[in-house]
Amino acid sequence: SPFFLGLFLILLGQIPTSLMPYYHQSFPFVVGVIFYFAVFNPKVLNVFLVFLLGLLMDLLTTLPLGFYAFGFVFMFFMATLFQSYLINMVFKQLWIVFGLFFFCTDVLWAFLFFLISGTWVSTGFWFVQYIFVCLTYPFFCRLSGFLNRRILEVQ
């Protein structure tokens, strides 16, 4: 199920990475799965499950509850809002739209972090996170497509 794939990707994103000169950083790889299923099969990954994935990410990253959950739900709603346009796009166009939506989500997270902490985090943190997630999107999109085909075969 997409929820368990998302759960696995949340845990994968928590593997300690030291990217010089940046400190330990976690990556929300699960946004690729959320985006994919919001566009191609929103029935199997609904907004409640997306919110639960976000809460789990919040617990693992020790951020205030709702931080990642809000961003994940925001990404899900943006993708479902434009689903009728996105479903007909070729992969390269969809990848660009994912990058744009994830950029909006990253900016939202940076603003929320500012509201919570009262200070701006270095843009290097958000930039590295953005680049890694966007570059790994094709792999997680392929994995989600494989899972989606299996789900459709069972139904």
Side-chain angles (χ1 to χ4, degrees), residues 5-43:
L5 176 60
L7 187 64
F8 170 74
L9 292 178
I10 286 174
L11 294 174
L12 179 70
Q14 299 308 310
I15 294 173
T17 53
S18 288
L19 301 171
M20 293 305 214
Y22 304 105
Y23 54 92
H24 167 74
Q25 184 162 349
S26 61
F27 300 102
F29 294 125
V30 70
V31 293
V33 174
I34 291 169
F35 181 79
Y36 181 89
F37 280 99
V39 171
F40 293 106
N41 200 351
K43 293 176 189 166

mmCIF file of all heavy atoms in Angstrom, residues 5-43:
data_model
loop_
_atom_site.group_PDB
_atom_site.id
_atom_site.type_symbol
_atom_site.label_atom_id
_atom_site.label_comp_id
_atom_site.label_asym_id
_atom_site.label_seq_id
_atom_site.Cartn_x
_atom_site.Cartn_y
_atom_site.Cartn_z
ATOM 1 N N LEU A 5 4.655 2.328 1.803
ATOM 2 C CA LEU A 5 5.771 2.852 1.018
ATOM 3 C C LEU A 5 6.188 4.213 1.575
ATOM 4 O O LEU A 5 7.382 4.492 1.739
ATOM 5 C CB LEU A 5 5.391 2.976 -0.454
ATOM 6 C CG LEU A 5 6.432 3.602 -1.375
ATOM 7 C CD1 LEU A 5 7.726 2.789 -1.376
ATOM 8 C CD2 LEU A 5 5.890 3.746 -2.777
ATOM 9 N N GLY A 6 5.203 5.056 1.892
ATOM 10 C CA GLY A 6 5.503 6.355 2.496
ATOM 11 C C GLY A 6 6.194 6.211 3.832
ATOM 12 O O GLY A 6 7.131 6.943 4.146
ATOM 13 N N LEU A 7 5.744 5.260 4.629
ATOM 14 C CA LEU A 7 6.365 4.990 5.919
ATOM 15 C C LEU A 7 7.822 4.583 5.748
ATOM 16 O O LEU A 7 8.713 5.074 6.445
ATOM 17 C CB LEU A 7 5.575 3.895 6.637
ATOM 18 C CG LEU A 7 5.947 3.571 8.062
ATOM 19 C CD1 LEU A 7 5.683 4.764 8.957
ATOM 20 C CD2 LEU A 7 5.138 2.368 8.532
ATOM 21 N N PHE A 8 8.079 3.707 4.776
ATOM 22 C CA PHE A 8 9.454 3.289 4.488
ATOM 23 C C PHE A 8 10.308 4.480 4.053
ATOM 24 O O PHE A 8 11.455 4.621 4.479
ATOM 25 C CB PHE A 8 9.457 2.203 3.408
ATOM 26 C CG PHE A 8 10.819 1.879 2.887
ATOM 27 C CD1 PHE A 8 11.712 1.143 3.650
ATOM 28 C CD2 PHE A 8 11.225 2.325 1.641
ATOM 29 C CE1 PHE A 8 12.980 0.855 3.178
ATOM 30 C CE2 PHE A 8 12.488 2.044 1.160
ATOM 31 C CZ PHE A 8 13.366 1.311 1.929
ATOM 32 N N LEU A 9 9.762 5.353 3.214
ATOM 33 C CA LEU A 9 10.531 6.503 2.728
ATOM 34 C C LEU A 9 10.788 7.529 3.827
ATOM 35 O O LEU A 9 11.821 8.197 3.824
ATOM 36 C CB LEU A 9 9.815 7.154 1.546
ATOM 37 C CG LEU A 9 9.771 6.301 0.285
ATOM 38 C CD1 LEU A 9 9.009 7.014 -0.811
ATOM 39 C CD2 LEU A 9 11.168 5.932 -0.176
ATOM 40 N N ILE A 10 9.864 7.636 4.771
ATOM 41 C CA ILE A 10 10.107 8.523 5.914
ATOM 42 C C ILE A 10 11.288 7.997 6.719
ATOM 43 O O ILE A 10 12.181 8.757 7.106
ATOM 44 C CB ILE A 10 8.838 8.655 6.778
ATOM 45 C CG1 ILE A 10 7.833 9.542 6.066
ATOM 46 C CG2 ILE A 10 9.167 9.234 8.147
ATOM 47 C CD1 ILE A 10 6.488 9.621 6.747
ATOM 48 N N LEU A 11 11.297 6.689 6.955
ATOM 49 C CA LEU A 11 12.415 6.098 7.705
ATOM 50 C C LEU A 11 13.716 6.212 6.911
ATOM 51 O O LEU A 11 14.771 6.481 7.477
ATOM 52 C CB LEU A 11 12.108 4.644 8.044
ATOM 53 C CG LEU A 11 10.934 4.451 9.017
ATOM 54 C CD1 LEU A 11 10.624 2.972 9.178
ATOM 55 C CD2 LEU A 11 11.221 5.103 10.345
ATOM 56 N N LEU A 12 13.646 6.012 5.594
ATOM 57 C CA LEU A 12 14.831 6.154 4.744
ATOM 58 C C LEU A 12 15.370 7.586 4.797
ATOM 59 O O LEU A 12 16.584 7.794 4.837
ATOM 60 C CB LEU A 12 14.496 5.772 3.304
ATOM 61 C CG LEU A 12 15.623 5.884 2.287
ATOM 62 C CD1 LEU A 12 16.670 4.808 2.555
ATOM 63 C CD2 LEU A 12 15.087 5.761 0.877
ATOM 64 N N GLY A 13 14.483 8.555 4.826
ATOM 65 C CA GLY A 13 14.885 9.958 4.879
ATOM 66 C C GLY A 13 15.529 10.362 6.187
ATOM 67 O O GLY A 13 16.154 11.411 6.284
ATOM 68 N N GLN A 14 15.379 9.520 7.217
ATOM 69 C CA GLN A 14 15.943 9.834 8.530
ATOM 70 C C GLN A 14 17.343 9.264 8.724
ATOM 71 O O GLN A 14 17.952 9.483 9.760
ATOM 72 C CB GLN A 14 15.029 9.308 9.640
ATOM 73 C CG GLN A 14 13.653 9.919 9.620
ATOM 74 C CD GLN A 14 13.684 11.428 9.587
ATOM 75 O OE1 GLN A 14 14.363 12.068 10.364
ATOM 76 N NE2 GLN A 14 12.945 12.004 8.647
ATOM 77 N N ILE A 15 17.837 8.520 7.733
ATOM 78 C CA ILE A 15 19.201 7.995 7.836
ATOM 79 C C ILE A 15 20.155 9.178 7.927
ATOM 80 O O ILE A 15 20.086 10.100 7.108
ATOM 81 C CB ILE A 15 19.546 7.101 6.622
ATOM 82 C CG1 ILE A 15 18.670 5.851 6.648
ATOM 83 C CG2 ILE A 15 21.022 6.736 6.616
ATOM 84 C CD1 ILE A 15 18.804 4.987 5.418
ATOM 85 N N PRO A 16 21.012 9.179 8.926
ATOM 86 C CA PRO A 16 21.905 10.336 9.107
ATOM 87 C C PRO A 16 22.773 10.596 7.887
ATOM 88 O O PRO A 16 23.407 9.685 7.360
ATOM 89 C CB PRO A 16 22.771 9.944 10.307
ATOM 90 C CG PRO A 16 22.012 8.881 11.002
ATOM 91 C CD PRO A 16 21.205 8.175 9.955
ATOM 92 N N THR A 17 22.736 11.815 7.446
ATOM 93 C CA THR A 17 23.585 12.239 6.336
ATOM 94 C C THR A 17 24.364 13.456 6.773
ATOM 95 O O THR A 17 23.805 14.388 7.335
ATOM 96 C CB THR A 17 22.746 12.587 5.096
ATOM 97 O OG1 THR A 17 21.750 13.531 5.477
ATOM 98 C CG2 THR A 17 22.063 11.369 4.503
ATOM 99 N N SER A 18 25.624 13.437 6.524
ATOM 100 C CA SER A 18 26.450 14.608 6.796
ATOM 101 C C SER A 18 26.880 15.179 5.466
ATOM 102 O O SER A 18 27.646 14.562 4.728
ATOM 103 C CB SER A 18 27.671 14.222 7.616
ATOM 104 O OG SER A 18 27.291 13.930 8.923
ATOM 105 N N LEU A 19 26.334 16.311 5.143
ATOM 106 C CA LEU A 19 26.664 16.974 3.891
ATOM 107 C C LEU A 19 27.479 18.212 4.233
ATOM 108 O O LEU A 19 26.961 19.181 4.762
ATOM 109 C CB LEU A 19 25.388 17.361 3.147
ATOM 110 C CG LEU A 19 24.469 16.193 2.804
ATOM 111 C CD1 LEU A 19 23.155 16.716 2.265
ATOM 112 C CD2 LEU A 19 25.129 15.296 1.796
ATOM 113 N N MET A 20 28.744 18.145 3.993
ATOM 114 C CA MET A 20 29.603 19.274 4.323
ATOM 115 C C MET A 20 29.240 20.456 3.469
ATOM 116 O O MET A 20 28.989 20.279 2.296
ATOM 117 C CB MET A 20 31.064 18.911 4.114
ATOM 118 C CG MET A 20 31.507 17.878 5.099
ATOM 119 S SD MET A 20 31.173 18.482 6.742
ATOM 120 C CE MET A 20 32.478 17.808 7.643
ATOM 121 N N PRO A 21 29.167 21.627 3.964
ATOM 122 C CA PRO A 21 29.399 22.066 5.329
ATOM 123 C C PRO A 21 28.121 22.107 6.163
ATOM 124 O O PRO A 21 28.065 22.780 7.168
ATOM 125 C CB PRO A 21 29.941 23.470 5.134
ATOM 126 C CG PRO A 21 29.200 23.961 3.933
ATOM 127 C CD PRO A 21 29.028 22.739 3.049
ATOM 128 N N TYR A 22 27.085 21.391 5.725
ATOM 129 C CA TYR A 22 25.806 21.423 6.439
ATOM 130 C C TYR A 22 25.761 20.351 7.518
ATOM 131 O O TYR A 22 26.444 19.346 7.452
ATOM 132 C CB TYR A 22 24.647 21.230 5.459
ATOM 133 C CG TYR A 22 24.674 22.251 4.360
ATOM 134 C CD1 TYR A 22 25.080 21.912 3.083
ATOM 135 C CD2 TYR A 22 24.353 23.577 4.614
ATOM 136 C CE1 TYR A 22 25.131 22.854 2.079
ATOM 137 C CE2 TYR A 22 24.401 24.526 3.626
ATOM 138 C CZ TYR A 22 24.791 24.166 2.363
ATOM 139 O OH TYR A 22 24.854 25.102 1.377
ATOM 140 N N TYR A 23 24.932 20.579 8.497
ATOM 141 C CA TYR A 23 24.765 19.638 9.592
ATOM 142 C C TYR A 23 23.837 18.509 9.160
ATOM 143 O O TYR A 23 23.360 18.486 8.038
ATOM 144 C CB TYR A 23 24.233 20.364 10.823
ATOM 145 C CG TYR A 23 22.972 21.149 10.553
ATOM 146 C CD1 TYR A 23 21.731 20.572 10.751
ATOM 147 C CD2 TYR A 23 23.026 22.453 10.079
ATOM 148 C CE1 TYR A 23 20.574 21.283 10.484
ATOM 149 C CE2 TYR A 23 21.881 23.154 9.808
ATOM 150 C CZ TYR A 23 20.658 22.569 10.009
ATOM 151 O OH TYR A 23 19.520 23.259 9.743
ATOM 152 N N HIS A 24 23.551 17.600 10.068
ATOM 153 C CA HIS A 24 22.662 16.483 9.765
ATOM 154 C C HIS A 24 21.347 16.981 9.177
ATOM 155 O O HIS A 24 20.774 17.940 9.654
ATOM 156 C CB HIS A 24 22.368 15.660 11.026
ATOM 157 C CG HIS A 24 21.237 14.706 10.844
ATOM 158 N ND1 HIS A 24 21.357 13.564 10.105
ATOM 159 C CD2 HIS A 24 19.963 14.740 11.268
ATOM 160 C CE1 HIS A 24 20.197 12.925 10.096
ATOM 161 N NE2 HIS A 24 19.339 13.627 10.798
ATOM 162 N N GLN A 25 20.913 16.300 8.170
ATOM 163 C CA GLN A 25 19.723 16.738 7.470
ATOM 164 C C GLN A 25 18.871 15.530 7.109
ATOM 165 O O GLN A 25 19.392 14.496 6.699
ATOM 166 C CB GLN A 25 20.159 17.465 6.201
ATOM 167 C CG GLN A 25 19.053 18.059 5.423
ATOM 168 C CD GLN A 25 19.603 19.096 4.459
ATOM 169 O OE1 GLN A 25 20.758 19.484 4.534
ATOM 170 N NE2 GLN A 25 18.782 19.532 3.569
ATOM 171 N N SER A 26 17.575 15.657 7.262
ATOM 172 C CA SER A 26 16.669 14.590 6.842
ATOM 173 C C SER A 26 15.938 15.058 5.589
ATOM 174 O O SER A 26 15.776 16.260 5.359
ATOM 175 C CB SER A 26 15.670 14.261 7.950
ATOM 176 O OG SER A 26 14.886 15.382 8.248
ATOM 177 N N PHE A 27 15.492 14.088 4.803
ATOM 178 C CA PHE A 27 14.871 14.415 3.522
ATOM 179 C C PHE A 27 13.458 13.855 3.461
ATOM 180 O O PHE A 27 13.258 12.673 3.710
ATOM 181 C CB PHE A 27 15.702 13.851 2.368
ATOM 182 C CG PHE A 27 17.086 14.390 2.320
ATOM 183 C CD1 PHE A 27 18.144 13.648 2.777
ATOM 184 C CD2 PHE A 27 17.320 15.657 1.833
ATOM 185 C CE1 PHE A 27 19.434 14.153 2.747
ATOM 186 C CE2 PHE A 27 18.601 16.172 1.804
ATOM 187 C CZ PHE A 27 19.658 15.419 2.262
ATOM 188 N N PRO A 28 12.488 14.673 3.096
ATOM 189 C CA PRO A 28 11.103 14.191 2.988
ATOM 190 C C PRO A 28 10.843 13.552 1.620
ATOM 191 O O PRO A 28 10.081 14.072 0.799
ATOM 192 C CB PRO A 28 10.278 15.466 3.192
ATOM 193 C CG PRO A 28 11.151 16.544 2.642
ATOM 194 C CD PRO A 28 12.569 16.123 2.948
ATOM 195 N N PHE A 29 11.481 12.409 1.369
ATOM 196 C CA PHE A 29 11.305 11.724 0.092
ATOM 197 C C PHE A 29 9.847 11.350 -0.172
ATOM 198 O O PHE A 29 9.444 11.161 -1.310
ATOM 199 C CB PHE A 29 12.156 10.455 0.044
ATOM 200 C CG PHE A 29 13.633 10.706 0.058
ATOM 201 C CD1 PHE A 29 14.429 10.111 1.012
ATOM 202 C CD2 PHE A 29 14.225 11.532 -0.877
ATOM 203 C CE1 PHE A 29 15.796 10.334 1.036
ATOM 204 C CE2 PHE A 29 15.589 11.758 -0.863
ATOM 205 C CZ PHE A 29 16.379 11.158 0.091
ATOM 206 N N VAL A 30 9.079 11.242 0.883
ATOM 207 C CA VAL A 30 7.696 10.795 0.770
ATOM 208 C C VAL A 30 6.834 11.767 -0.039
ATOM 209 O O VAL A 30 5.792 11.371 -0.560
ATOM 210 C CB VAL A 30 7.103 10.538 2.175
ATOM 211 C CG1 VAL A 30 6.895 11.822 2.925
ATOM 212 C CG2 VAL A 30 5.820 9.752 2.098
ATOM 213 N N VAL A 31 7.250 13.001 -0.212
ATOM 214 C CA VAL A 31 6.431 13.939 -0.985
ATOM 215 C C VAL A 31 6.289 13.488 -2.433
ATOM 216 O O VAL A 31 5.274 13.768 -3.069
ATOM 217 C CB VAL A 31 6.943 15.400 -0.916
ATOM 218 C CG1 VAL A 31 6.809 15.968 0.463
ATOM 219 C CG2 VAL A 31 8.333 15.538 -1.437
ATOM 220 N N GLY A 32 7.269 12.771 -2.952
ATOM 221 C CA GLY A 32 7.153 12.224 -4.308
ATOM 222 C C GLY A 32 6.034 11.205 -4.415
ATOM 223 O O GLY A 32 5.271 11.188 -5.383
ATOM 224 N N VAL A 33 5.913 10.354 -3.418
ATOM 225 C CA VAL A 33 4.840 9.359 -3.388
ATOM 226 C C VAL A 33 3.492 10.043 -3.192
ATOM 227 O O VAL A 33 2.505 9.689 -3.851
ATOM 228 C CB VAL A 33 5.105 8.321 -2.267
ATOM 229 C CG1 VAL A 33 3.942 7.376 -2.117
ATOM 230 C CG2 VAL A 33 6.382 7.566 -2.549
ATOM 231 N N ILE A 34 3.443 11.030 -2.317
ATOM 232 C CA ILE A 34 2.205 11.770 -2.087
ATOM 233 C C ILE A 34 1.752 12.442 -3.382
ATOM 234 O O ILE A 34 0.579 12.368 -3.762
ATOM 235 C CB ILE A 34 2.395 12.803 -0.952
ATOM 236 C CG1 ILE A 34 2.575 12.085 0.387
ATOM 237 C CG2 ILE A 34 1.235 13.784 -0.900
ATOM 238 C CD1 ILE A 34 3.021 12.988 1.511
ATOM 239 N N PHE A 35 2.675 13.082 -4.070
ATOM 240 C CA PHE A 35 2.346 13.760 -5.326
ATOM 241 C C PHE A 35 1.870 12.750 -6.364
ATOM 242 O O PHE A 35 0.861 12.973 -7.043
ATOM 243 C CB PHE A 35 3.576 14.522 -5.832
ATOM 244 C CG PHE A 35 3.346 15.272 -7.110
ATOM 245 C CD1 PHE A 35 2.687 16.492 -7.097
ATOM 246 C CD2 PHE A 35 3.788 14.775 -8.321
ATOM 247 C CE1 PHE A 35 2.480 17.193 -8.275
ATOM 248 C CE2 PHE A 35 3.589 15.465 -9.495
ATOM 249 C CZ PHE A 35 2.928 16.680 -9.476
ATOM 250 N N TYR A 36 2.584 11.636 -6.503
ATOM 251 C CA TYR A 36 2.229 10.636 -7.518
ATOM 252 C C TYR A 36 0.820 10.107 -7.292
ATOM 253 O O TYR A 36 -0.002 10.074 -8.216
ATOM 254 C CB TYR A 36 3.225 9.472 -7.508
ATOM 255 C CG TYR A 36 2.895 8.430 -8.550
ATOM 256 C CD1 TYR A 36 3.401 8.532 -9.835
ATOM 257 C CD2 TYR A 36 2.040 7.377 -8.266
ATOM 258 C CE1 TYR A 36 3.078 7.601 -10.800
ATOM 259 C CE2 TYR A 36 1.708 6.443 -9.218
ATOM 260 C CZ TYR A 36 2.228 6.551 -10.490
ATOM 261 O OH TYR A 36 1.894 5.635 -11.454
ATOM 262 N N PHE A 37 0.525 9.680 -6.066
ATOM 263 C CA PHE A 37 -0.790 9.097 -5.815
ATOM 264 C C PHE A 37 -1.898 10.144 -5.789
ATOM 265 O O PHE A 37 -3.045 9.828 -6.081
ATOM 266 C CB PHE A 37 -0.772 8.250 -4.540
ATOM 267 C CG PHE A 37 -0.189 6.893 -4.775
ATOM 268 C CD1 PHE A 37 1.120 6.623 -4.441
ATOM 269 C CD2 PHE A 37 -0.943 5.896 -5.375
ATOM 270 C CE1 PHE A 37 1.663 5.379 -4.684
ATOM 271 C CE2 PHE A 37 -0.403 4.651 -5.622
ATOM 272 C CZ PHE A 37 0.902 4.384 -5.279
ATOM 273 N N ALA A 38 -1.593 11.375 -5.471
ATOM 274 C CA ALA A 38 -2.596 12.439 -5.548
ATOM 275 C C ALA A 38 -3.002 12.680 -6.998
ATOM 276 O O ALA A 38 -4.157 13.004 -7.277
ATOM 277 C CB ALA A 38 -2.067 13.729 -4.927
ATOM 278 N N VAL A 39 -2.077 12.484 -7.915
ATOM 279 C CA VAL A 39 -2.375 12.696 -9.329
ATOM 280 C C VAL A 39 -3.013 11.454 -9.951
ATOM 281 O O VAL A 39 -4.030 11.544 -10.635
ATOM 282 C CB VAL A 39 -1.096 13.089 -10.106
ATOM 283 C CG1 VAL A 39 -1.350 13.105 -11.605
ATOM 284 C CG2 VAL A 39 -0.583 14.435 -9.638
ATOM 285 N N PHE A 40 -2.433 10.282 -9.714
ATOM 286 C CA PHE A 40 -2.844 9.097 -10.467
ATOM 287 C C PHE A 40 -3.829 8.171 -9.762
ATOM 288 O O PHE A 40 -4.534 7.424 -10.432
ATOM 289 C CB PHE A 40 -1.608 8.297 -10.889
ATOM 290 C CG PHE A 40 -0.763 9.031 -11.882
ATOM 291 C CD1 PHE A 40 0.438 9.601 -11.505
ATOM 292 C CD2 PHE A 40 -1.187 9.186 -13.181
ATOM 293 C CE1 PHE A 40 1.213 10.291 -12.407
ATOM 294 C CE2 PHE A 40 -0.424 9.878 -14.105
ATOM 295 C CZ PHE A 40 0.782 10.436 -13.716
ATOM 296 N N ASN A 41 -3.885 8.174 -8.453
ATOM 297 C CA ASN A 41 -4.812 7.287 -7.748
ATOM 298 C C ASN A 41 -5.082 7.824 -6.337
ATOM 299 O O ASN A 41 -4.669 7.223 -5.346
ATOM 300 C CB ASN A 41 -4.242 5.868 -7.687
ATOM 301 C CG ASN A 41 -5.286 4.828 -7.426
ATOM 302 O OD1 ASN A 41 -6.428 5.135 -7.115
ATOM 303 N ND2 ASN A 41 -4.903 3.568 -7.539
ATOM 304 N N PRO A 42 -5.810 8.946 -6.238
ATOM 305 C CA PRO A 42 -6.008 9.572 -4.924
ATOM 306 C C PRO A 42 -6.892 8.764 -3.977
ATOM 307 O O PRO A 42 -6.956 9.077 -2.793
ATOM 308 C CB PRO A 42 -6.644 10.918 -5.261
ATOM 309 C CG PRO A 42 -7.217 10.760 -6.609
ATOM 310 C CD PRO A 42 -6.409 9.718 -7.309
ATOM 311 N N LYS A 43 -7.549 7.724 -4.479
ATOM 312 C CA LYS A 43 -8.420 6.920 -3.612
ATOM 313 C C LYS A 43 -7.628 6.068 -2.623
ATOM 314 O O LYS A 43 -8.097 5.786 -1.533
ATOM 315 C CB LYS A 43 -9.311 6.012 -4.452
ATOM 316 C CG LYS A 43 -10.310 6.757 -5.276
ATOM 317 C CD LYS A 43 -11.092 5.816 -6.159
ATOM 318 C CE LYS A 43 -11.937 6.610 -7.125
ATOM 319 N NZ LYS A 43 -12.459 5.779 -8.198
#
